[in-house]
Amino acid sequence: MEGGAEKIVEAASEMAEEVGDEPLVGTLDVMLLVVLASVSVYYFFLRSSTKKDETPALKTFTISPTQLPSRSSDSNFVSKMKASGRNVIVFYGSQTGTAEEFAGRLAKEATRWGMKGMVADPEECDMNELAQLTDIENHLAIFCMATYGEGDPTDNAQEFFEFLEAGDEQLDGVQYTVFGLGNKTYEHYNAMAKFVDKKMAELGAKRVYELGLGDDDANMEDDFITWKDAMWPAVCEYFGIEALAQDINMRQYKLTVLEEYDPTRVFTGEIARLNSLKLGSQRPPFDSKNPFLAEIRINRELFKGGDRNCMHIELDIEGSRIRYDSGDHVAIYPINNTDLVNRLIELTGENADKVITLTNVDEDSSKKHPFPCPCSYRTALSHYVDVAALPRTHVLKELAEYTADNREKEQLLLMSGTSEAGKAAYHQWIIQDVRTIVHILEDLPSCKPPLDYLCELLPRLQARYYSISSSAKLHPTTIHVTANVLIYKTPTGRTNKGVCTTYLNQLKPDNGTKFHVPIFVRKSQFRLPSKPQTPVIMIGPGTGIAPFRGFIQERNLQKEEGKPVGRTVLYFGCRKKANDYLYEEELEEYKNSGLLELYVAFSRDQQEKVYVTHLMSQNKKDIWKIIGEENGHLYVCGDAKNMARDVNGLIIKICQTEGEMDQTQAELFVKKMITQKRYSSDVWS
């Protein structure tokens, strides 16, 4: 329309020029013609566009739903509690799903103790409302908080952490208790739980029961049940109500079998959005709820011999807008082993292709389904349920209800209890013998639970995290992964396999065959110094070399660009030089170029085992020079339980002998290094 108007005005101007020399048409006539042309343009073109908003209601209309009583928003948890008659809310800070699982168990158990609970993700709640909990009689806020990284909050608890740290809201009279999930092998054991417990009290909240600390290095389940079984009676006493646990139906989800359904509306493994894992239908940004389908470009064997396998995988992220830095982690969503899934279906006698929906019986719950529904049993067991997990005690208690043989039933009830004999039995029969749900059903043949209940009871299958072994500055369109294939014999003679590495080991592109895996990137604090001239010491035996491969690539690039690069020292270890010396050619090339100072320990190439700590002890003067005199950075990646602990002890010892400090001074020096981010760890247990 605008183009047509311009043409009419232009024509009027041309007409004016043409008649300019005629004596019968003066300047006034030309002006009148222009005015008439402008009026015509307005009437026929511009008028219609300005009148669009004035079109009578009969021309366009919308159908609105009947007005219902307003419901509280998802973030308004206090209003939701009031509306549904709840007095207990369980918040969770979870990175791998365990804290969320514990929160769900606590919310369900509240009913057994005469209360009514709900689970809440602090990321989806307005935590400024915490103070309003005092409006609810006998209220209780329970916090199940895991600690991530170097004492950091989990991703979903970051905003809650900042809320407490700011301390802008007084929480006088808010009744609470905290249970933490941590690992004693880590430097900042249960730091987030301790922070929440301390900060809540400082802001005026009332601690109803003592802080509970779960240690995954020992027995997290034991710590949790011991804490909660003492917590509930104490809460009842505080509220002045009878402390009597009721034995009630604990089913949380109702089963619906779909006889007729639209196949296009059935989930087939998507994490959240239907059809989101179809090539061509993906939309950024990509994260844990919307992972990117990355093509596996390369999947090659790194070991040169022996009976173990280690994969070097390259994931294509071109066009995804995914950005990463050296030291970050890539998360991969796995698929359960087909043999394990088929065996579980066989043991329960179900139809694998039956399409089901599990719906929360609590209509007010924000979590309507335990996983994306509807889906088939095969999809649920392959993509959503962790069938390889070791069942926790509450699962055993529920299994007992479906066990016909009295001896087998008593065994399950014993292991699900809190007696010392029960704890010992659980630790031996489940933890030490590494029994999954399949093994339990095989060894207790009279136990016949319905498959839909197992789908409810077992934990959700989580993404597996791997330290990225490449630098985005050198490989901006690919992410490299270095991972051992986990496979081992159990004391019962069975062979257990790692969920994700077993899955990945099967996906080897060849002859045009392509494989894609759902991924997302999780940012890390594990970073090279901002100044390339700062010296670094990297300690990473086995696949602990992964992030350091990225670091070395980055420093080599800086060197090639003419930047001054400080000393780059790597301590690497493996079993045998001939079999499992990872990236040997690359490392030797960096060493020969003058970039890398390389120390390699081959633990089994001689009679006495040699580890990276032995090589470090031989170079203690040089290590002190870097960390004590040159303000260098130290990095550790790998096993937390032994290697990282031994390295930490050795660094403290070096500070004593070479830095002339006593034990206390040395420990304070190392802690200061950690605070300054000059001593960083990327470890696992």
Side-chain angles (χ1 to χ4, degrees), residues 45 109 122 176 209 255 258 313 329 406 417 433 436 518 541 550 572 580:
F45 300 100
E109 285 198 15
Y176 78 96
Y209 188 67
L255 170 68
L258 280 65
I313 297 173
H329 302 110
N406 285 334
D433 291 346
T436 66
F572 173 69
D580 50 3

Side-chain angles (χ1 to χ4, degrees), residues 627-643:
I627 65 172
E629 298 173 8
E630 298 176 353
N631 217 34
H633 287 220
L634 186 140
Y635 301 89
V636 182
C637 183
D639 166 48
K641 192 170 186 178
N642 298 307
M643 184 275 298

Side-chain angles (χ1 to χ4, degrees), residues 660-676:
E660 299 180 349
M661 303 177 186
D662 60 29
Q663 178 78 18
T664 303
Q665 290 172 326
E667 289 175 356
L668 287 173
F669 181 85
V670 169
K671 284 186 177 179
K672 186 178 180 182
M673 283 184 68
I674 293 171
T675 303
Q676 295 173 336

